[in-house]
Amino acid sequence: MIETNRPAAAPAEDEPDLLRDQFRQLLRYRRLIGAGIAVGLLGGVYLGISTADTYVATADVVLRAPTDDPFNPSLAPDKAINIGSERQVALSSSIANEAAKKLGVSAKDFSALRGGLQVTNPPQTMVLRFTYTASSPREAAKRANAMTDAYLLKRQESLDATRDKMVKGYQEQRDPVAKQLDELSKDIARMPAGAPRDTATSTKTDLQSEVGGYNGKITKLQALDMTPGRVTSAATAPTSTDGPGIVMSLALGAAVGLALGLLAAWVRLVFDPAPRSEGDVARALRAPVLGYLPRDKTGGGPLLAAGEADPRLAEEYRSVAFRLAYDARFADRRRLLVVAPRGSSETAAAVAVNLAASFAETGKDVLLIEADLRTPVLASQLPTDAGGRPRWSQTPGNTPAGGRHGDSEWPDGRQLVVDAGESGSFDLIPGERARNVPRALTSARATRLISEADSPNSTVVVLAPPVLSYADALALVDRVDGVLVVCDPRAVHRTDLSRIRELISGAGGTVLGAVLHAPLPGEKRGRKGKDGGSPAAPEAPDAAAKPRPPQPQPIPYEVAEAEQHIPGDGTDTVALRTVRTGRR
């Protein structure tokens, strides 16, 4: 008894594996990443050129609040000065006007003078940093110092104006009281001694106290130190440009461009409906990817890979067959349905034929059933010979062995033997055009054919049309429950794969896995067929110079004449072991 294992539908991937897989997918969009780097380099060149003649001069000013005792720490400077407001004042047009007068700048250049200034405040300080940018180092230093002097002058004028206004207000309040005091003093001098004189004297004392208060406030304001601040670092002419240089600009631009390119590639990846990796296919089908067919550069790929000069394709088919043989879901019933998502079934036909050859190579009795009754071509493209009829075809009521196979609906009992070279041989039930395809696929004769897998050491491989183009494959799923999906990951959408899994599961089948392949030679991804499937490949330029396999001719629904030659009936002579596939 052969021990088999049951692989999981889709291997669980941890977060590092998913990140690595996503990063590999990002590298597929090399054009976007390259375009981002190119844009970044252009930006770096522009930055390097635009800042090549830019000079920056800086001057620092420490602000002071008016005080009568600079050594008294009772009032913190940051409580008396709003540094944010002072920064806005330094950037105002009044400061620029004062500096323009000092520098002799015309009104036409006033905007450029104001635009070159930048004022910042280092954190946790009372310092205003005047930074001026100009095309000349001397001009930058000169204008920075002019802006600093203009600000300090305007601040000094503002503080002096505030003090003078307050002094004037106190004087206006003091003068009426002082005048009243003078008049009262004259009245007291003329009064005789007595109670009225004493009352007037008391009032005089109060007025003198009030006048003294006003005089004290005025004296205190006049004694304030109104210094607005001091320049701690005057601007000097810079010795080098402010720009990072062309080399640093290019490096910075390349880094930013790479980040932009990766971001654009990530956005493209998020909105790309096609699966871009084997992990995407496995997650959409919830089944493992059993193999990835190598790209064929000869223009179409061989239908039978055995005997080719490049053994990679045949070995890949053997690997897929080996993985299927050790899958308990297939080994228990030995029935396999091979389908494509939509469009062309050419690669699916090659997979079905080579898997049959690989199973025959292991010593199994293999029956390949071409259930594609719409475009049957295998009989005309494989090295075949007439073989014995299936057991059910010998029963009474069916066509006799010497009869014409066109007298009944498919399957009509015709069975061919395919010579697979060193791999051995396997039986082929070729497809025939039928009047009612669903009835032919679900007939009792088709069911008996598929039940051939119940015999010991027997395997049945069924090739069906694309599952999303026709419902033929779904009609077979309840009897051939193991399904192998053959697709090009760049020509199918993730939603298509999920829909295939849902349709097959709903019909009672199981997706055993997927076989991926590269786009067929000459296939244009931008063009779609009428059914939304893969595009049709254009003829190669030298197609006329190469021998082409015979194309299958439609079999009419009326009975074939006795002398009519039917392709694949065993009388054909096939000279080549390997036959190129035709477009299905």
Side-chain angles (χ1 to χ4, degrees):
M1 181 177 180
I2 299 177
E3 182 180 358
T4 60
N5 63 339
R6 187 181 298 272
E13 296 182 271
D14 55 7
E15 186 174 354
D17 290 338
L18 291 176
L19 291 176
R20 283 191 292 269
D21 183 52
Q22 189 178 45
F23 184 74
R24 285 193 295 268
Q25 295 179 47
L26 288 178
L27 295 181
R28 293 178 181 269
Y29 302 102
R30 296 182 181 87
R31 291 184 180 179
L32 281 177
I33 298 176
I37 294 177
V39 171
L41 289 176
L42 290 177
V45 171
Y46 174 77
L47 178 63
I49 294 176
S50 62
T51 59
D53 56 350
T54 300
Y55 296 88
V56 175
T58 302
D60 292 338
V61 175
V62 177
L63 302 184
R64 293 181 69 252
T67 179
D68 58 350
D69 186 0
F71 303 103
N72 183 10
S74 60
L75 182 62
D78 57 343
K79 302 297 182 181
I81 300 175
N82 189 331
I83 194 67
S85 299
E86 294 297 331
R87 177 178 173 273
Q88 296 300 321
V89 171
L91 291 171
S92 65
S93 58
S94 60
I95 304 299
N97 283 327
E98 187 66 26
K101 294 177 182 178
K102 183 177 181 180
L103 295 171
V105 176
S106 63
K108 181 178 63 175
D109 300 330
F110 177 77
S111 297
L113 172 66
R114 187 178 178 185
L117 177 65
Q118 183 180 6
V119 180
T120 57
N121 168 234
Q124 306 299 324
T125 65
M126 299 300 296
V127 175
L128 287 182
R129 178 163 295 166
F130 289 75
T131 303
Y132 200 91
T133 304
S135 58
S136 169
R138 288 188 177 182
E139 191 69 17
K142 182 180 179 181
R143 294 194 174 190
N145 290 326
M147 287 291 186
T148 302
D149 295 340
Y151 169 73
L152 291 177
L153 178 61
K154 283 294 184 181
R155 178 171 168 79
Q156 180 73 60
E157 292 177 355
S158 176
L159 293 177
D160 290 342
T162 302
R163 180 184 63 179
D164 294 343
K165 185 176 181 179
M166 293 183 66
V167 169
K168 183 178 180 181
Y170 284 135
Q171 289 175 347
E172 290 177 351
Q173 298 178 45
R174 182 199 62 183
D175 289 346
V177 178
K179 184 177 180 181
Q180 183 181 0
L181 178 60
D182 293 340
E183 293 177 354
L184 184 59
S185 298
K186 294 178 181 179
D187 293 341
I188 292 175
R190 294 191 297 266
M191 286 183 182
R197 185 184 180 91
D198 295 339
T199 302
T201 302
S202 177
T203 303
K204 178 182 177 182
T205 303
D206 294 339
L207 292 176
Q208 288 177 343
S209 176
E210 187 175 356
V211 171
Y214 285 125
N215 289 332
K217 292 179 180 179
I218 293 173
T219 303
K220 185 176 182 180
L221 286 174
Q222 292 175 344
L224 287 177
D225 183 4
M226 304 300 292
T227 303
R230 69 178 187 278
V231 178
T232 59
S233 176
T236 58
T239 58
S240 61
T241 61
D242 181 62
I246 188 64
V247 176
M248 184 62 68
S249 298
L250 288 176
L252 181 62
V256 175
L258 177 61
L260 291 177
L262 290 175
L263 178 60
W266 180 80
V267 173
R268 178 69 175 87
L269 177 64
V270 169
F271 291 98
D272 189 0
R276 289 295 182 172
S277 67
E278 297 182 6
D280 283 352
V281 176
R283 283 187 289 271
L285 289 175
R286 296 183 185 175
V289 175
L290 301 179
Y292 203 124
L293 303 182
R295 182 184 296 272
D296 181 75
K297 300 180 180 180
T298 59
L303 193 60
L304 269 174
E308 283 294 302
D310 187 1
R312 295 180 302 163
L313 189 60
E315 290 302 323
E316 188 65 27
Y317 285 125
R318 292 189 182 100
S319 175
V320 174
F322 178 81
R323 297 186 66 178
L324 285 172
Y326 279 83
D327 188 338
R329 296 171 296 178
F330 172 75
D332 290 344
R333 301 193 62 185
R334 301 181 303 282
R335 293 177 174 88
L336 181 64
L337 180 65
V338 181
V339 294
R342 63 170 80 243
S344 173
S345 295
E346 177 180 346
T347 307
V351 171
V353 169
N354 285 278
L355 286 181
S358 299
F359 288 134
E361 190 175 4
T362 62
K364 294 184 180 296
D365 297 329
V366 182
L367 177 63
L368 174 61
I369 302 175
E370 185 181 16
D372 188 350
L373 307 184
R374 304 179 187 275
T375 55
V377 294
L378 292 186
S380 62
Q381 294 185 357
L382 290 174
T384 59
D385 191 6
R389 296 176 178 273
R391 291 189 299 273
W392 59 266
S393 66
Q394 307 295 338
T395 58
N398 287 324
T399 306
R404 292 172 297 182
H405 57 264
D407 294 341
S408 60
E409 291 287 347
W410 183 91
D412 58 1
R414 187 163 62 111
Q415 179 173 331
L416 305 177
V417 177
V418 179
D419 184 3
E422 296 179 356
S423 299
S425 62
F426 57 89
D427 296 333
L428 168 66
I429 302 297
E432 298 286 347
R433 294 184 181 272
R435 295 185 181 91
N436 192 323
V437 173
R439 180 179 298 176
L441 294 177
T442 56
S443 64
R445 289 178 293 179
T447 302
R448 285 195 294 271
L449 264 182
I450 296 174
S451 65
E452 292 286 330
D454 295 336
S455 302
N457 202 37
S458 297
T459 301
V460 172
V461 179
V462 182
L463 173 64
V467 66
L468 294 180
S469 299
Y470 306 100
D472 301 355
L474 300 179
L476 299 167
V477 167
D478 59 342
R479 284 160 292 171
V480 190
D481 52 0
V483 180
L484 181 66
V485 179
V486 181
C487 65
D488 174 13
R490 298 191 180 189
V492 68
H493 293 177
R494 288 188 293 267
T495 54
D496 292 340
L497 298 178
S498 299
R499 184 185 175 196
I500 290 173
R501 173 181 52 80
E502 293 172 357
L503 291 174
I504 293 174
S505 300
T510 303
V511 179
L512 299 179
V515 174
L516 308 182
H517 64 89
L520 297 177
E523 196 172 56
K524 295 182 179 180
R525 296 172 52 192
R527 297 176 55 188
K528 298 290 183 182
K530 293 182 180 181
D531 58 351
S534 300
E539 294 292 338
D542 56 345
K546 296 183 179 179
R548 299 181 60 182
Q551 298 297 325
Q553 301 296 326
I555 299 177
Y557 292 139
E558 57 270 8
V559 178
E561 298 296 334
E563 67 274 13
Q564 180 182 358
H565 171 70
I566 301 177
D569 62 354
T571 62
D572 298 358
T573 300
V574 181
L576 298 179
R577 234 7 132 188
T578 301
V579 183
R580 299 289 175 184
T581 58
R583 177 66 58 184
R584 293 176 62 83

